[in-house]
Amino acid sequence: MEAPLIDPFARAISYLRVSVTDRCDFRCLYCMSENMTFLPKAELLTLEELDRLCTAFVGMGVEKLRITGGEPLVRRGIMTFFRAMSRHLESGALRELTLTTNGSQLRKYAQELADCGVKRINVSLDTLDAAKFAEVTRWGRLAQVLDGIAAAKEAGLKVKINVVALKGFNEDELFDLAAWCARDGHDLTFIEVMPMGDMGEEHRLDQYWSLKDLRARLAERFTLIDLADRTGGPARYVRLAETGQRIGFITPLTHNFCESCNRVRLTCTGELYMCLGQEDVADLRAPLRASTEDALLKQSIRNAIARKPKGHDFDYSRQNVAGQMTRHMSHTGG
Ligand code: SAM
């Protein structure tokens, strides 16, 4: 048994978020520009390399793997990777294998995901209006996503819907979204929008809607009971007394969860981010490719974790970089 990964502040690293691709079949306004330049294939970790890396982390105490992207389900051969990871669930080393998806490919993959031991998934969905959905995702079709969510449910997967709160866009759908989730048995979490993607340029969706405000709106209709539930992450939860529904809030810009931070994030090129709000990054691809043995890789992981900072103050000025959200942050559903 290997020594677990413990950072300098005695936090055990048990949660790894892995981006398996930078590509996506949607172009959400707040996330990507319409003409994205994606990474050349040689830069990306192969599925075998992703397996080796994740397996190394699992061997060192990671119990929860969240697969994300880009859109994870558009990566060619991705089910090979899920099948490979399911062996860690079977051995008991991994407690949870999950993913965050835009839902477009769920009709195709939900059953196979369930067969691999995936129990819960996060699906990002900002509106239930087909025209607005087409607008915000640029390339997405609502019907396909709703069908994907239905497929997930049929396969027995528990679905959490992640909604980015956008003033003037889905403000008027707050109660409809909540009611739809309650009726279909989905959990619901709102995410505060971060200034990324094309929002600033297009001025169409640049209205920041604070979750404080959203919460106050909910409180006009429901009695909100604050819950103590923590998932080791940034979400805070309330229960609506009248319906029993649980609703989460993720405010990426706050940092009051650092003390319990158990997570690190790996990009599709093998960079390990130890903290959302700090740029410090460790390259794991070089040690991975330098040797077929894992000793060097594992030492590089330990060296990186030894640099995990105590916490962060979010610096807005650094967020002016255009481009993909996933390259810059990890605290949202993704
Ligand atoms: N393609 C997958 C999906 O749609 O969930 C995974 C990657 S996506 C980048 C992960 C999450 O980040 C989604 O819930 C998305 O809505 C959210 N996100 C993207 N850009 C954001 C922004 N500027 N502010 C807040 N959340 C954002």
Side-chain angles (χ1 to χ4, degrees):
M1 178 70 187
E2 277 179 77
L5 287 172
I6 310 281
D7 81 356
F9 305 95
R11 296 169 298 194
I13 306 306
S14 57
Y15 183 170
L16 177 67
R17 213 168 253 263
V18 185
S19 170
V20 294
T21 179
D22 59 336
R23 285 160 202 262
C24 189
D25 51 342
F26 291 0
R27 290 290 180 278
C28 297
L29 290 173
Y30 48 72
C31 185
M32 291 189 183
S33 62
E34 183 138 34
N35 303 306
M36 288 293 293
T37 313
F38 292 108
L39 295 162
K41 203 170 166 221
E43 299 268 313
L44 292 189
L45 298 179
T46 64
L47 294 175
E48 294 73 24
E49 287 172 335
L50 282 165
D51 184 339
R52 248 183 91 193
L53 252 167
C54 292
T55 300
F57 273 99
V58 170
M60 291 188 280
V62 161
E63 297 179 327
K64 176 168 175 177
L65 268 184
R66 177 175 295 281
I67 311 305
T68 179
E71 170 49 40
L73 297 181
V74 300
R75 168 106 195 221
R76 196 184 299 262
I78 192 63
M79 293 317 292
T80 309
F81 174 72
F82 274 99
R83 276 194 299 277
M85 288 303 101
S86 70
R87 74 184 185 275
H88 299 308
L89 288 172
E90 281 158 21
S91 77
L94 195 59
R95 287 224 312 251
E96 184 168 21
L97 175 61
T98 183
L99 74 154
T100 299
T101 173
N102 64 24
S104 70
Q105 307 303 310
L106 280 174
R107 173 56 67 189
K108 194 162 152 198
Y109 292 130
Q111 187 58 56
E112 216 174 333
L113 287 167
D115 294 344
C116 289
V118 172
K119 301 249 182 297
R120 302 186 303 166
I121 61 173
N122 289 358
V123 182
S124 307
L125 176 63
D126 301 333
T127 172
L128 292 170
D129 178 290
K132 281 161 75 179
F133 186 84
E135 182 192 346
V136 75
T137 62
R138 286 201 189 95
W139 295 2
R141 283 180 44 243
L142 178 67
Q144 187 178 340
V145 169
L146 294 181
D147 183 54
I149 293 170
K153 212 173 150 184
E154 286 157 31
L157 298 174
K158 179 85 186 137
V159 174
K160 177 160 82 77
I161 302 293
N162 280 339
V163 178
V164 175
L166 296 161
K167 202 169 185 67
F169 180 77
N170 54 14
E171 230 182 326
D172 56 342
E173 288 188 76
L174 173 62
F175 296 109
D176 289 347
L177 279 162
W180 177 74
C181 286
R183 198 193 59 220
D184 283 16
H186 309 313
D187 283 333
L188 170 61
T189 291
F190 290 99
I191 304 174
E192 203 160 69
V193 72
M194 292 185 65
M196 312 281 296
D198 272 358
M199 288 210 320
E201 292 156 41
E202 301 200 357
H203 292 294
R204 284 191 292 145
L205 286 180
D206 62 350
Q207 299 99 330
Y208 165 80
W209 183 14
S210 104
L211 292 196
K212 226 176 170 171
D213 186 37
L214 185 153
R215 205 190 132 107
R217 291 275 297 282
L218 270 179
E220 285 168 15
R221 203 174 289 188
F222 298 102
T223 313
L224 307 188
I225 305 166
D226 280 307
L227 300 178
D229 312 19
R230 293 281 185 277
T231 51
R236 295 290 172 266
Y237 298 94
V238 297
R239 193 171 298 289
L240 308 186
E242 290 78 2
T243 64
Q245 186 178 12
R246 192 179 83 146
I247 295 184
F249 302 98
I250 296 180
T251 46
L253 301 183
T254 57
H255 53 93
N256 52 1
F257 41 81
C258 294
E259 68 284 350
S260 61
C261 182
N262 62 352
R263 57 188 62 197
V264 287
R265 174 171 59 110
L266 186 71
T267 69
C268 57
T269 58
E271 294 175 304
L272 188 72
Y273 280 83
M274 281 71 83
C275 169
L276 156 72
Q278 306 213 2
E279 296 291 293
D280 189 23
V281 63
D283 174 27
L284 297 181
R285 191 180 61 191
L288 183 73
R289 291 187 175 171
S291 161
T292 50
E293 301 291 314
D294 284 342
L296 185 61
L297 172 65
K298 288 187 174 171
Q299 194 50 53
S300 305
I301 294 174
R302 288 195 189 282
N303 294 348
I305 299 302
R307 304 203 312 251
K308 185 167 164 65
K310 185 164 185 199
H312 65 273
D313 275 314
F314 216 94
D315 176 0
Y316 245 104
S317 64
R318 281 184 310 146
Q319 294 299 315
N320 295 332
V321 198
Q324 239 179 308
M325 169 86 183
T326 35
R327 290 195 191 139
H328 300 282
M329 66 177 294
S330 65
H331 280 174
T332 69

